[in-house]
């Protein structure tokens, strides 16, 4: 059974700050997903990665397979980035379940 | 961009009643999932569905739950004899049959059991 741990649970930043959210998982996976959950509850997929690094706009996700660790970075943070960020580990086979972390509540103040 | 659609957005049901939550996955996707999130808790996997059968289910997905793809577009989750602890947000997701693809989530159905 995979365990997914995220830190920090809560993060408050000032607009413009560089933000890092960390995620660790306990067993082998096919891919690590980063998701964003809005206040209304909807979930949006940000990244899926199995190695290295991916970048989309101001968001960067990295993964270290050997250390079973991933990070999500937000550069030049903005109040509209305020949301819950969740990492989720995919199972080892195609189409298998996602195991979710607890999420990180990010608040970016103007 | 195509999206996963869930209805209703909010369902209020008396304890003991049956409820059906509906989802329309993205049309060319072949893997379908149901997840739930109890208020204040993390999202939990319930079941995955592929090729008209359950491919994986969690310990939460007991005989009270069932899933069905009644036609070419809908994917439903039925909860029989609902309990107070079934109150949660239920998310449907779908992904393409190409292996290791992102799952696309619907906006969820908030189920409230009274």
């Amino acid at each position: 059974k995979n365990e997914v741990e995220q830190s920090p649970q809560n993060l408050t930043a000032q607009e413009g700050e560089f933000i890092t959210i960390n995620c660790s998982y306990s067993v082998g996976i096919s891919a690590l997903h980063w998701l964003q959950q809005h206040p209304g509850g909807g979930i949006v997929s940000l990244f899926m990665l199995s190695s290295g690094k991916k970048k989309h706009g101001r968001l960067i996700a990295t993964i270290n397979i050997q250390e079973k660790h991933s990070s999500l970075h937000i550069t030049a943070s903005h109040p509209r980035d305020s949301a819950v960020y969740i990492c989720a580990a995919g199972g080892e086979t195609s189409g298998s379940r996602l195991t979710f972390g607890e999420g990180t509540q990010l608040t970016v103040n103007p | 961009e195509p999206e996963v659609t869930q209805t209703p957005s909010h369902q209020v049901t008396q304890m003991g009643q049956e409820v059906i939550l509906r989802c329309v996955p993205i049309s060319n996707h072949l893997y379908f999932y149901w997840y739930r999130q109890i208020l204040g808790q993390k999202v939990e996997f319930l079941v995955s569905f592929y090729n008209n059968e359950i491919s994986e289910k969690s310990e939460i997905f007991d005989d009270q739950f069932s899933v069905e793809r009644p036609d070419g577009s809908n994917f439903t989750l039925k909860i029989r004899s609902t309990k107070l602890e079934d109150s949660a947000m239920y998310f449907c997701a779908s992904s393409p049959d190409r292996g290791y693809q992102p799952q696309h989530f619907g906006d969820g159905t908030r189920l409230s059991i009274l």
Side-chain angles (χ1 to χ4, degrees), chain A residues 94-110:
Chain A
S94 171
S96 57
R97 68 171 73 185
L98 294 182
T99 300
F100 287 73
E102 299 276 355
T104 295
Q105 173 69 63
L106 172 65
T107 303
V108 182
N109 293 318

Side-chain angles (χ1 to χ4, degrees), chain A residues 25-45:
Chain A
Y25 52 93
S26 58
V27 301
I29 59 170
S30 57
L32 193 287
H33 300 247
W34 282 100
L35 308 138
Q36 183 189 54
Q37 186 168 30
H38 297 289
I43 294 174
V44 174
S45 179

